[in-house]
Coordinates of all heavy atoms in Angstrom, one line a residue:
M1 N 86.7 32.5 30.8 CA 85.3 33.0 30.5 C 84.5 33.1 31.8 O 84.5 32.2 32.6 CB 84.6 32.1 29.5 CG 83.5 32.8 28.8 SD 83.0 32.0 27.3 CE 82.5 30.4 27.8
A2 N 83.9 34.2 32.0 CA 83.1 34.4 33.2 C 81.8 33.6 33.2 O 81.2 33.4 32.2 CB 82.7 35.9 33.4
A3 N 81.5 33.1 34.4 CA 80.2 32.3 34.5 C 79.0 33.2 34.4 O 79.1 34.4 34.9 CB 80.2 31.5 35.8
K4 N 78.0 32.7 33.7 CA 76.8 33.6 33.6 C 76.1 33.7 34.9 O 76.0 32.8 35.7 CB 75.9 32.9 32.6 CG 74.8 33.8 32.0 CD 74.0 33.1 30.9 CE 72.8 33.9 30.6 NZ 71.8 33.2 29.8
K5 N 75.7 35.0 35.2 CA 75.1 35.2 36.5 C 73.7 34.6 36.6 O 72.9 34.7 35.7 CB 75.0 36.8 36.7 CG 74.6 37.1 38.1 CD 74.5 38.6 38.3 CE 74.0 38.9 39.7 NZ 73.3 40.2 39.7
K6 N 73.5 33.9 37.7 CA 72.2 33.2 37.8 C 71.2 34.2 38.3 O 71.4 35.0 39.2 CB 72.3 32.0 38.8 CG 72.8 30.8 38.2 CD 72.5 29.6 39.0 CE 72.8 28.4 38.2 NZ 72.4 27.1 38.6
V7 N 70.0 34.1 37.8 CA 68.9 35.0 38.2 C 68.2 34.3 39.3 O 67.8 33.1 39.2 CB 67.9 35.3 37.0 CG1 66.8 36.1 37.5 CG2 68.7 36.0 35.9
N8 N 67.9 35.0 40.4 CA 67.2 34.4 41.5 C 65.7 34.2 41.1 O 65.0 35.2 40.8 CB 67.3 35.4 42.7 CG 66.6 34.8 44.0 OD1 65.8 33.9 43.9 ND2 67.0 35.4 45.1
P9 N 65.3 33.0 41.1 CA 63.9 32.7 40.6 C 62.8 33.4 41.5 O 61.8 33.7 41.0 CB 63.8 31.2 40.7 CG 65.0 30.7 41.3 CD 66.0 31.7 41.4
A10 N 63.2 33.6 42.8 CA 62.2 34.2 43.7 C 61.9 35.7 43.2 O 60.8 36.2 43.4 CB 62.7 34.2 45.1
L11 N 62.9 36.3 42.6 CA 62.8 37.7 42.1 C 61.9 37.7 40.8 O 61.4 38.8 40.5 CB 64.1 38.4 41.9 CG 65.0 38.6 43.1 CD1 66.3 39.2 42.7 CD2 64.3 39.5 44.1
M12 N 61.8 36.6 40.1 CA 61.1 36.6 38.9 C 59.6 36.2 39.0 O 58.8 36.5 38.2 CB 61.7 35.5 37.9 CG 63.2 35.9 37.6 SD 63.5 37.5 37.0 CE 62.7 37.5 35.4
K13 N 59.3 35.6 40.2 CA 57.9 35.1 40.4 C 57.0 36.3 40.7 O 57.3 37.1 41.6 CB 57.9 34.1 41.6 CG 56.6 33.4 41.7 CD 56.7 32.4 42.9 CE 55.6 32.6 43.8 NZ 55.7 32.7 45.2
P14 N 55.9 36.5 39.9 CA 55.0 37.6 40.2 C 54.4 37.5 41.6 O 54.0 36.5 42.1 CB 53.9 37.5 39.2 CG 54.5 36.6 38.1 CD 55.5 35.7 38.8
V15 N 54.4 38.7 42.3 CA 53.8 38.8 43.6 C 52.7 39.9 43.6 O 52.7 40.7 42.7 CB 54.8 39.1 44.7 CG1 55.8 37.9 45.0 CG2 55.6 40.3 44.4
Q16 N 51.8 39.8 44.5 CA 50.6 40.7 44.5 C 50.9 41.9 45.4 O 51.0 41.7 46.6 CB 49.4 40.0 44.9 CG 48.1 40.8 44.9 CD 47.8 41.3 43.5 OE1 47.6 40.6 42.6 NE2 47.6 42.6 43.4
P17 N 51.0 43.2 44.9 CA 51.1 44.3 45.7 C 49.8 44.6 46.5 O 48.7 44.3 45.9 CB 51.4 45.5 44.8 CG 51.4 44.9 43.4 CD 51.0 43.5 43.5
D18 N 49.8 45.0 47.7 CA 48.6 45.4 48.4 C 48.1 46.7 47.9 O 48.7 47.4 47.1 CB 48.7 45.3 49.9 CG 49.6 46.4 50.5 OD1 50.0 47.3 49.8 OD2 49.9 46.3 51.7
E19 N 46.9 47.2 48.5 CA 46.3 48.5 48.0 C 47.2 49.6 48.2 O 47.3 50.6 47.4 CB 45.0 48.8 48.8 CG 44.0 47.6 49.0 CD 44.5 46.6 50.0 OE1 44.8 47.0 51.2 OE2 44.6 45.4 49.7
V20 N 48.0 49.6 49.3 CA 48.9 50.7 49.6 C 50.0 50.9 48.6 O 50.3 51.9 48.0 CB 49.5 50.6 51.1 CG1 50.5 51.7 51.4 CG2 48.4 50.5 52.1
L21 N 50.6 49.7 48.3 CA 51.7 49.7 47.3 C 51.2 49.9 45.9 O 51.9 50.5 45.0 CB 52.5 48.4 47.4 CG 53.8 48.2 46.6 CD1 54.8 49.3 46.9 CD2 54.4 46.9 46.9
A22 N 50.0 49.4 45.6 CA 49.4 49.5 44.3 C 49.2 51.0 43.8 O 49.2 51.2 42.6 CB 48.0 48.8 44.3
V23 N 49.1 51.9 44.7 CA 49.0 53.3 44.4 C 50.2 53.8 43.5 O 50.0 54.5 42.6 CB 49.0 54.2 45.7 CG1 49.1 55.7 45.4 CG2 47.7 53.9 46.5
I24 N 51.4 53.2 43.8 CA 52.6 53.5 43.0 C 52.9 52.5 41.9 O 53.2 52.9 40.8 CB 53.8 53.7 44.0 CG1 53.5 54.9 44.9 CG2 55.1 53.8 43.2 CD1 54.5 55.1 45.9
V25 N 52.8 51.2 42.2 CA 53.2 50.2 41.2 C 52.1 49.6 40.4 O 52.4 48.8 39.4 CB 54.1 49.1 41.8 CG1 55.3 49.7 42.5 CG2 53.3 48.3 42.8
G26 N 50.9 49.9 40.7 CA 49.7 49.3 40.0 C 49.3 48.1 40.8 O 50.0 47.5 41.6
S27 N 48.1 47.6 40.4 CA 47.5 46.5 41.2 C 47.7 45.1 40.6 O 47.4 44.1 41.2 CB 46.0 46.7 41.4 OG 45.4 46.8 40.1
A28 N 48.4 45.0 39.4 CA 48.6 43.8 38.8 C 49.8 43.1 39.4 O 50.7 43.7 39.9 CB 48.9 44.0 37.3
P29 N 49.8 41.7 39.5 CA 51.0 41.0 40.0 C 52.2 41.3 39.2 O 52.2 41.3 38.0 CB 50.6 39.5 39.9 CG 49.1 39.5 39.8 CD 48.7 40.8 39.1
L30 N 53.3 41.5 39.9 CA 54.6 41.8 39.3 C 55.7 41.1 40.0 O 55.7 40.9 41.2 CB 54.9 43.3 39.4 CG 54.1 44.4 38.7 CD1 54.3 45.7 39.2 CD2 54.5 44.3 37.2
P31 N 56.8 40.8 39.2 CA 58.0 40.2 39.9 C 58.6 41.3 40.8 O 58.4 42.5 40.6 CB 59.0 40.0 38.8 CG 58.1 39.9 37.5 CD 57.0 40.8 37.8
R32 N 59.2 40.9 41.9 CA 59.8 41.8 42.9 C 60.7 42.9 42.3 O 60.7 44.0 42.6 CB 60.6 41.1 44.0 CG 59.7 40.4 45.0 CD 60.5 39.6 46.0 NE 59.6 38.8 46.8 CZ 59.1 39.1 48.0 NH1 59.4 40.3 48.5 NH2 58.3 38.3 48.6
G33 N 61.5 42.4 41.3 CA 62.4 43.3 40.6 C 61.7 44.4 39.9 O 62.2 45.6 39.9
Q34 N 60.6 44.1 39.3 CA 59.8 45.2 38.6 C 59.2 46.1 39.6 O 59.1 47.3 39.4 CB 58.6 44.5 37.8 CG 59.1 44.0 36.5 CD 59.7 45.1 35.6 OE1 60.9 45.1 35.4 NE2 58.9 45.9 35.1
I35 N 58.7 45.6 40.8 CA 58.2 46.5 41.8 C 59.2 47.5 42.3 O 59.0 48.7 42.4 CB 57.6 45.7 43.0 CG1 56.4 44.9 42.6 CG2 57.4 46.5 44.2 CD1 55.8 43.9 43.6
T36 N 60.5 47.0 42.5 CA 61.6 47.8 43.0 C 61.9 48.9 41.9 O 62.1 50.1 42.2 CB 62.8 47.0 43.3 OG1 62.5 46.0 44.2 CG2 64.0 47.8 43.8
K37 N 61.9 48.4 40.6 CA 62.2 49.4 39.5 C 61.1 50.5 39.4 O 61.4 51.6 39.3 CB 62.2 48.6 38.2 CG 62.6 49.5 37.0 CD 62.5 48.7 35.7 CE 62.9 49.6 34.5 NZ 62.2 50.9 34.5
K38 N 59.8 50.1 39.6 CA 58.7 51.1 39.5 C 58.8 52.1 40.7 O 58.6 53.3 40.5 CB 57.4 50.4 39.5 CG 57.0 49.8 38.2 CD 55.6 49.3 38.1 CE 55.3 48.8 36.7 NZ 54.0 49.2 36.3
L39 N 59.2 51.6 41.9 CA 59.4 52.4 43.0 C 60.5 53.4 42.8 O 60.4 54.6 43.0 CB 59.7 51.6 44.3 CG 58.5 51.2 45.1 CD1 59.0 50.1 46.1 CD2 57.8 52.3 45.8
W40 N 61.6 53.0 42.2 CA 62.8 53.9 41.9 C 62.4 54.9 40.9 O 62.8 56.0 40.9 CB 64.0 53.1 41.5 CG 64.8 52.7 42.8 CD1 64.9 51.4 43.3 CD2 65.5 53.6 43.6 NE1 65.6 51.5 44.5 CE2 66.0 52.8 44.7 CE3 65.8 54.9 43.6 CZ2 66.8 53.3 45.7 CZ3 66.5 55.5 44.6 CH2 67.0 54.7 45.7
D41 N 61.7 54.4 39.8 CA 61.2 55.4 38.8 C 60.4 56.5 39.4 O 60.6 57.7 39.1 CB 60.4 54.7 37.7 CG 61.2 53.7 36.9 OD1 62.4 53.8 36.9 OD2 60.6 52.9 36.2
Y42 N 59.5 56.1 40.4 CA 58.6 57.1 41.1 C 59.5 58.0 41.9 O 59.3 59.2 41.9 CB 57.6 56.3 41.9 CG 56.7 57.3 42.7 CD1 55.6 57.8 42.1 CD2 57.0 57.6 44.0 CE1 54.8 58.7 42.9 CE2 56.2 58.5 44.7 CZ 55.1 59.0 44.2 OH 54.3 59.8 44.9
I43 N 60.4 57.5 42.7 CA 61.3 58.2 43.5 C 62.1 59.3 42.7 O 62.2 60.4 43.1 CB 62.3 57.3 44.4 CG1 61.4 56.6 45.4 CG2 63.4 58.1 45.0 CD1 62.1 55.3 46.0
K44 N 62.7 58.8 41.6 CA 63.5 59.7 40.8 C 62.6 60.8 40.1 O 63.0 62.0 40.1 CB 64.3 58.9 39.7 CG 65.4 58.1 40.4 CD 66.1 57.3 39.4 CE 67.3 56.5 40.1 NZ 67.6 55.3 39.4
K45 N 61.5 60.4 39.6 CA 60.6 61.3 38.9 C 60.1 62.4 39.8 O 60.0 63.6 39.4 CB 59.4 60.5 38.3 CG 58.5 61.4 37.4 CD 57.3 60.5 36.9 CE 56.1 60.7 37.8 NZ 55.0 60.0 37.5
N46 N 59.9 62.1 41.1 CA 59.5 63.1 42.1 C 60.6 63.7 42.9 O 60.3 64.4 43.9 CB 58.4 62.4 42.9 CG 57.1 62.1 42.2 OD1 56.4 63.0 41.8 ND2 56.9 60.8 41.8
G47 N 61.8 63.4 42.6 CA 63.0 64.0 43.3 C 63.0 63.7 44.8 O 63.3 64.5 45.6
L48 N 62.7 62.4 45.1 CA 62.6 62.0 46.5 C 63.8 61.4 47.1 O 63.9 61.1 48.3 CB 61.4 61.1 46.7 CG 60.0 61.6 46.3 CD1 59.0 60.6 46.4 CD2 59.6 62.8 47.2
Q49 N 64.9 61.3 46.3 CA 66.2 60.8 46.8 C 66.9 62.0 47.4 O 67.0 63.0 46.7 CB 67.0 60.1 45.7 CG 68.2 59.4 46.2 CD 68.9 58.6 45.1 OE1 68.6 58.8 43.9 NE2 69.8 57.8 45.5
D50 N 67.4 61.9 48.6 CA 68.2 62.9 49.2 C 69.4 63.3 48.4 O 70.2 62.4 48.0 CB 68.6 62.5 50.6 CG 69.1 63.7 51.5 OD1 70.0 64.4 51.0 OD2 68.6 63.9 52.6
T51 N 69.6 64.6 48.1 CA 70.7 64.9 47.2 C 72.1 64.8 47.9 O 73.1 64.6 47.3 CB 70.5 66.4 46.7 OG1 70.2 67.2 47.8 CG2 69.4 66.4 45.7
K52 N 72.1 65.0 49.3 CA 73.4 64.9 50.0 C 73.7 63.5 50.4 O 74.7 63.0 50.3 CB 73.3 65.8 51.2 CG 73.3 67.3 50.9 CD 73.3 68.2 52.1 CE 73.2 69.6 51.8 NZ 71.9 70.0 51.2
V53 N 72.6 62.8 51.0 CA 72.8 61.4 51.5 C 72.0 60.6 50.5 O 70.8 60.3 50.7 CB 72.3 61.2 52.9 CG1 72.6 59.8 53.4 CG2 72.9 62.3 53.8
K54 N 72.7 60.1 49.5 CA 72.0 59.4 48.4 C 71.3 58.1 48.8 O 70.4 57.7 48.1 CB 73.0 59.0 47.3 CG 73.7 60.2 46.6 CD 72.9 60.6 45.4 CE 73.6 61.7 44.6 NZ 72.8 62.8 44.3
T55 N 71.6 57.5 49.9 CA 71.0 56.3 50.4 C 69.6 56.6 51.1 O 68.9 55.7 51.4 CB 71.9 55.5 51.3 OG1 72.3 56.3 52.4 CG2 73.1 54.9 50.6
N56 N 69.3 57.9 51.3 CA 68.1 58.3 52.0 C 67.0 58.6 51.0 O 67.2 59.3 50.0 CB 68.3 59.5 52.9 CG 69.0 59.1 54.2 OD1 69.2 57.9 54.4 ND2 69.3 60.0 55.0
I57 N 65.8 58.1 51.2 CA 64.6 58.4 50.4 C 63.6 59.2 51.3 O 63.3 58.7 52.4 CB 63.9 57.0 50.0 CG1 65.0 56.0 49.4 CG2 62.8 57.3 49.0 CD1 65.7 56.5 48.2
K58 N 63.2 60.3 50.7 CA 62.2 61.1 51.4 C 60.8 60.6 51.0 O 60.5 60.4 49.8 CB 62.4 62.6 51.1 CG 63.7 63.2 51.6 CD 63.9 64.6 51.1 CE 64.7 64.6 49.9 NZ 65.0 65.9 49.4
A59 N 59.9 60.5 52.0 CA 58.6 60.0 51.7 C 57.6 61.2 51.4 O 57.6 62.2 52.1 CB 58.0 59.2 52.9
D60 N 56.9 61.0 50.3 CA 55.8 62.0 50.0 C 54.5 61.3 50.6 O 54.5 60.3 51.2 CB 55.7 62.3 48.5 CG 55.4 61.1 47.6 OD1 55.1 60.0 48.2 OD2 55.3 61.3 46.4
D61 N 53.3 61.9 50.2 CA 52.1 61.4 50.8 C 51.8 60.0 50.3 O 51.1 59.2 51.0 CB 50.9 62.3 50.4 CG 51.0 63.6 51.1 OD1 51.7 63.7 52.1 OD2 50.4 64.6 50.6
K62 N 52.3 59.6 49.1 CA 52.0 58.2 48.6 C 53.0 57.2 49.2 O 52.6 56.1 49.4 CB 52.1 58.2 47.1 CG 51.0 58.9 46.4 CD 51.1 58.8 44.9 CE 50.0 59.5 44.2 NZ 50.1 59.5 42.7
L63 N 54.2 57.6 49.5 CA 55.2 56.7 50.0 C 55.1 56.5 51.5 O 55.4 55.5 52.0 CB 56.6 57.2 49.7 CG 57.1 57.0 48.2 CD1 58.5 57.6 48.0 CD2 57.1 55.5 47.9
K64 N 54.6 57.5 52.2 CA 54.6 57.5 53.7 C 53.9 56.2 54.2 O 54.4 55.6 55.1 CB 54.0 58.8 54.3 CG 54.6 59.2 55.6 CD 54.1 60.5 56.0 CE 55.4 61.4 56.2 NZ 55.2 62.7 56.7
P65 N 52.7 55.9 53.7 CA 52.0 54.6 54.2 C 52.9 53.4 53.9 O 52.9 52.5 54.8 CB 50.7 54.6 53.4 CG 50.5 55.9 52.8 CD 51.9 56.5 52.7
I66 N 53.6 53.3 52.8 CA 54.5 52.2 52.5 C 55.6 52.1 53.5 O 56.0 51.1 54.0 CB 55.0 52.3 51.1 CG1 53.8 52.2 50.1 CG2 56.0 51.2 50.8 CD1 54.2 52.6 48.7
F67 N 56.1 53.3 53.9 CA 57.3 53.4 54.8 C 56.9 53.4 56.3 O 57.6 53.8 57.1 CB 58.1 54.7 54.5 CG 58.8 54.7 53.2 CD1 59.4 55.9 52.7 CD2 58.8 53.6 52.4 CE1 60.0 55.9 51.5 CE2 59.5 53.6 51.1 CZ 60.1 54.8 50.7
G68 N 55.7 53.0 56.5 CA 55.2 52.9 57.9 C 55.1 54.2 58.6 O 55.3 54.4 59.8
G69 N 54.8 55.3 57.8 CA 54.6 56.6 58.4 C 55.9 57.4 58.6 O 55.9 58.6 59.0
K70 N 57.0 56.8 58.2 CA 58.3 57.6 58.4 C 58.5 58.6 57.3 O 58.1 58.3 56.1 CB 59.5 56.6 58.3 CG 59.6 55.6 59.5 CD 60.8 54.8 59.4 CE 60.9 53.9 60.6 NZ 62.2 53.1 60.5
A71 N 59.1 59.7 57.6 CA 59.4 60.8 56.6 C 60.6 60.5 55.8 O 60.6 60.8 54.6 CB 59.6 62.1 57.3
V72 N 61.6 59.8 56.3 CA 62.8 59.4 55.6 C 63.2 58.0 55.9 O 63.1 57.6 57.1 CB 64.0 60.4 55.9 CG1 65.2 60.0 55.2 CG2 63.6 61.8 55.6
V73 N 63.6 57.2 54.9 CA 64.1 55.8 55.2 C 65.3 55.6 54.3 O 65.5 56.4 53.3 CB 63.1 54.7 54.8 CG1 61.8 54.8 55.7 CG2 62.7 54.7 53.4
T74 N 66.2 54.7 54.7 CA 67.3 54.4 53.8 C 66.8 53.4 52.7 O 65.8 52.8 52.9 CB 68.4 53.7 54.6 OG1 68.0 52.4 55.0 CG2 68.9 54.5 55.8
M75 N 67.6 53.3 51.6 CA 67.1 52.4 50.5 C 67.1 51.0 51.0 O 66.4 50.2 50.5 CB 68.0 52.6 49.3 CG 69.5 52.5 49.5 SD 70.4 52.6 47.9 CE 70.2 54.3 47.5
F76 N 67.9 50.7 52.0 CA 68.0 49.3 52.5 C 66.7 49.0 53.4 O 66.1 47.9 53.3 CB 69.3 49.0 53.3 CG 70.5 49.5 52.6 CD1 71.1 50.7 53.0 CD2 71.0 48.8 51.5 CE1 72.3 51.1 52.3 CE2 72.1 49.3 50.8 CZ 72.7 50.4 51.2
E77 N 66.4 50.0 54.1 CA 65.1 49.9 55.0 C 63.9 49.8 54.0 O 63.0 49.1 54.3 CB 65.1 51.2 55.8 CG 64.4 51.1 57.1 CD 64.4 52.4 57.9 OE1 65.2 53.3 57.5 OE2 63.6 52.5 58.8
M78 N 63.9 50.6 52.9 CA 62.8 50.6 52.0 C 62.5 49.2 51.5 O 61.3 48.8 51.5 CB 63.2 51.5 50.8 CG 62.0 51.6 49.8 SD 62.4 52.6 48.4 CE 63.4 51.6 47.4
T79 N 63.5 48.4 51.2 CA 63.3 47.1 50.6 C 62.5 46.2 51.7 O 61.5 45.5 51.3 CB 64.6 46.4 50.3 OG1 65.4 47.3 49.5 CG2 64.4 45.1 49.6
K80 N 62.9 46.3 52.9 CA 62.2 45.6 54.0 C 60.8 46.1 54.2 O 59.9 45.2 54.3 CB 63.0 45.7 55.3 CG 62.7 44.7 56.4 CD 63.7 44.8 57.5 CE 63.1 45.6 58.6 NZ 64.0 45.7 59.8
L81 N 60.6 47.4 54.2 CA 59.2 47.9 54.4 C 58.3 47.6 53.2 O 57.1 47.3 53.4 CB 59.3 49.5 54.5 CG 60.0 49.9 55.8 CD1 60.4 51.4 55.8 CD2 59.2 49.6 57.0
V82 N 58.8 47.6 52.0 CA 58.0 47.3 50.8 C 57.6 45.8 50.9 O 56.4 45.5 50.5 CB 58.8 47.6 49.5 CG1 58.2 46.9 48.3 CG2 58.9 49.1 49.3
S83 N 58.4 44.9 51.4 CA 58.0 43.5 51.4 C 56.8 43.2 52.3 O 56.1 42.2 52.1 CB 59.2 42.6 51.7 OG 59.9 43.0 52.8
K84 N 56.5 44.1 53.2 CA 55.3 44.0 54.1 C 54.1 44.3 53.3 O 53.0 44.0 53.7 CB 55.4 45.0 55.2 CG 56.5 44.7 56.2 CD 56.5 45.7 57.3 CE 57.7 45.4 58.3 NZ 57.8 46.4 59.3
H85 N 54.2 44.9 52.1 CA 53.0 45.2 51.2 C 52.9 44.3 50.0 O 52.3 44.7 49.1 CB 53.2 46.7 50.8 CG 53.1 47.6 52.0 ND1 51.9 48.0 52.6 CD2 54.1 48.3 52.6 CE1 52.2 48.8 53.6 NE2 53.5 49.0 53.6
I86 N 53.6 43.2 50.1 CA 53.5 42.2 49.0 C 52.9 40.9 49.5 O 53.3 40.4 50.5 CB 54.9 42.0 48.5 CG1 55.5 43.2 47.8 CG2 55.0 40.8 47.5 CD1 56.9 43.2 47.4
K87 N 52.0 40.3 48.7 CA 51.5 39.0 49.0 C 52.0 38.1 48.0 O 51.8 38.2 46.8 CB 49.9 39.0 48.9 CG 49.2 40.0 49.8 CD 47.7 40.0 49.6 CE 47.1 41.2 50.3 NZ 47.0 42.4 49.4
A88 N 52.8 37.1 48.5 CA 53.5 36.1 47.6 C 52.5 35.2 47.0 O 51.5 34.9 47.5 CB 54.6 35.4 48.4

């Protein structure tokens, strides 16, 4: 029988998005996992994932400030950039 996967408690603790991130995810405190989910929902809804290089995310006017002004970031880079807009 497989062991049950442990949930990282740090991902469950609500964190406060700053004003820049709140434009997309809202201003209420959310767990990091929910922030990531809302960002992906936004990216998919607006067709911002590169169709050829799936790991690349294209920034629109709302994402550019979160991405430090970059036009394109990788999904791995995105996680790091988003954490700069979260107050634990």
